Amino acid sequence: MALTTDLSGKTAVITGSNSGIGLGVARELARAGANVVLNSYTDRKEDHALAEEIAENFSVEARYIKADLSKGDEARALIEQAGTCDILINNAGIQHVAPIEDFPVEKWDAIIAIMLSSVFHTTAAALPMMRKADWGRIVNISSAHGLTASPYKSAYVSAKHGVVGMTKVVALETAQEPITANAVCPGYVLTPLVQAQIPDTAKKYDMSEEEVTQKVILERQPSKEFATTEQLGGTVAFLCSPAADQITGTTISVDGGWTAL
Ligand code: NAD
């Protein structure tokens, strides 16, 4: 089977896609011919410009829709506004690092809302559209932290494990339909979310930023290399291809060997 995927005529909604992995996934799905809906919680000229750039580069339709996914009704409205959703990529995420006893309650609530509850809301809104189209793909961007834990990341690890559980439930509820649900579990990918952690960690350990990257961040990743947003996009495109018709309810790690340790 050819490794190229033809997604022309399909519409993909990618949450949290004005940056990092979400944007990389949007570009790879557009490269495969899908129309894309980008999203984040801002409504800036630059956000809409990203959609215009994708439309122009890949000759597809691309739109940007603002929705704050910490709010369930906005998560559902994103899908309704998209109008059609053949491919749903739940990707939006944030991070906060603190010991449990000091973990700010509002950060816990925000992480669970944006990274776990929004997956429930977008999925509930998208499934009727997929059933109507008689085809659907749901790919949830979990994490190596959806399969393993690290200290001080209680909300993130809980949300990412929750996303893996949710993925399995969706897969079972759609098992006899032409709809699949899977989770992709990246190790470290050099995106703004990870870059933001480097200066503070450098200060904490009195190290240079380069040392932090190699000795602290990539310490868990045996390949000692970051995964790229293009590789994540390629993995998602594969899950949307006919080769993956029978892959459902599972996780694919893109983590340089992290979870083999
Ligand atoms: P990023 O910061 O570049 O992107 C996060 C995206 O989520 C942005 O588009 C941001 O605007 C959006 N977002 C945040 N809060 C939102 C809200 N309330 N409503 C709507 N959108 C919101 O980070 P990234 O590294 O590209 O992360 C993307 C996903 O991949 C996250 O779920 C993250 O947990 C996961 N992940 C990242 C890595 C990594 O190493 N970068 C590893 C494993 C998993």
Side-chain angles (χ1 to χ4, degrees):
M1 193 171 285
L3 279 176
T4 48
T5 309
D6 181 9
L7 298 174
S8 23
K10 308 288 189 202
T11 297
V13 180
I14 305 108
T15 72
S17 45
N18 65 351
S19 162
I21 294 172
L23 185 56
V25 169
R27 288 208 169 104
E28 292 310 309
L29 293 179
R31 192 189 306 283
N35 298 322
V36 295
V37 174
L38 304 184
N39 151 264
S40 182
Y41 58 91
T42 49
D43 201 10
R44 305 166 304 179
K45 254 206 321 232
E46 305 93 276
D47 298 323
H48 294 273
L50 287 171
E52 282 158 30
E53 173 224 299
I54 288 179
E56 199 171 307
N57 281 351
F58 300 107
S59 306
V60 296
E61 288 170 26
R63 277 182 293 158
Y64 175 88
I65 300 178
K66 174 197 176 225
D68 179 351
L69 299 181
S70 65
K71 303 185 175 100
D73 53 348
E74 291 198 27
R76 286 174 189 254
L78 165 64
I79 305 299
E80 299 306 334
Q81 262 179 273
T84 164
C85 179
D86 305 295
I87 299 170
L88 170 62
I89 314 297
N90 286 303
N91 166 78
I94 57 170
Q95 177 62 287
H96 189 80
V97 181
I100 292 172
E101 64 275 27
D102 300 332
F103 209 93
V105 173
E106 64 279 9
K107 288 283 182 201
W108 170 274
D109 289 343
I111 288 176
I112 299 297
I114 294 166
M115 291 164 59
L116 180 56
S117 302
S118 80
V119 178
F120 160 68
H121 292 296
T122 55
T123 304
L127 275 177
M129 295 179 182
M130 293 179 180
R131 290 196 164 116
K132 202 164 153 209
D134 210 24
W135 190 88
R137 290 284 183 270
I138 297 173
V139 182
N140 296 324
I141 306 300
S142 178
S143 168
H145 279 121
L147 305 168
T148 65
S150 292
Y152 315 124
K153 296 186 175 177
S154 54
Y156 188 90
V157 169
S158 302
K160 291 303 193 187
H161 275 70
V163 161
V164 171
M166 176 70 184
T167 305
K168 293 178 185 176
V169 174
V170 179
L172 292 180
E173 291 189 14
T174 57
Q176 294 184 10
E177 300 172 81
I179 296 172
T180 67
N182 292 289
V184 171
C185 295
Y188 278 114
V189 187
L190 196 54
T191 65
L193 184 139
V194 170
Q195 270 159 339
Q197 298 174 46
I198 296 177
D200 279 354
T201 316
K203 255 191 237 150
K204 186 170 152 201
Y205 291 106
D206 193 23
M207 284 178 173
S208 71
E209 296 195 4
E210 178 53 30
E211 273 179 303
V212 164
T213 302
Q214 284 304 320
K215 293 188 182 151
V216 182
I217 297 196
L218 290 176
E219 199 251 330
R220 296 281 289 274
Q221 198 142 307
S223 67
K224 301 294 171 206
E225 280 182 35
F226 287 104
T228 65
T229 59
E230 291 80 7
Q231 289 162 349
L232 269 307
T235 306
V236 169
F238 160 71
L239 286 171
C240 295
S241 76
D245 279 354
Q246 283 299 317
I247 300 179
T248 194
T250 195
T251 59
I252 296 192
S253 292
V254 185
D255 66 2
W258 176 329
T259 44
L261 274 175

